[in-house]
Amino acid sequence: MGTVSEYSFTPAGQIKKQLVIASQIKSRSDMTYQDDIFAETTQIAVADNLIRYLTDADVCNLINAVLADDKDKVFSSVEKLIDESVNAIAESEQND
């Protein structure tokens, strides 16, 4: 997914930044409690969006990629699903 510093200041970039921070929470001693809560809240929102809008076709594509032992396709499919969730949340936040 990348490092924190490589994300732009677009709404989707900021959400991705929070996902990276949430994944690093246990190893970061410089985070404040507020940073911790905001990162985890963002991670939960992306997960909720992903689960809510995941289709049978998405899951079947993942199953097929796993059965074909195509790790690159599995990774790219999951990354695409996460990106779609991030973009949906960013768009929703802009409309609020």
Side-chain angles (χ1 to χ4, degrees):
M1 189 139 231
T3 62
V4 171
S5 61
E6 76 183 59
Y7 293 112
S8 66
F9 291 102
T10 65
Q14 291 299 305
I15 292 170
K16 288 181 181 180
K17 178 180 175 181
Q18 291 304 315
L19 291 177
V20 171
I21 291 170
S23 72
Q24 298 171 345
I25 285 173
K26 300 292 187 244
S27 63
R28 293 180 59 134
S29 60
D30 62 332
M31 288 186 62
T32 66
Y33 179 73
Q34 292 291 0
D35 291 335
D36 184 16
I37 295 300
F38 185 68
E40 284 186 341
T41 302
T42 302
Q43 189 177 41
I44 291 167
V46 171
D48 180 61
N49 185 279
L50 190 143
I51 292 165
R52 184 170 297 178
Y53 297 105
L54 190 66
T55 67
D56 293 348
D58 294 328
V59 174
C60 288
N61 288 338
L62 282 170
I63 290 170
N64 291 336
V66 169
L67 294 175
D69 200 27
D70 189 346
K71 292 178 177 114
D72 290 334
K73 188 171 183 179
V74 171
F75 179 80
S76 66
S77 294
V78 171
E79 186 174 43
K80 179 181 173 232
L81 291 170
I82 292 170
D83 283 343
E84 288 173 355
S85 290
V86 165
N87 291 331
I89 290 170
E91 185 177 312
S92 173
E93 287 178 356
Q94 282 184 323
N95 292 333
D96 288 342

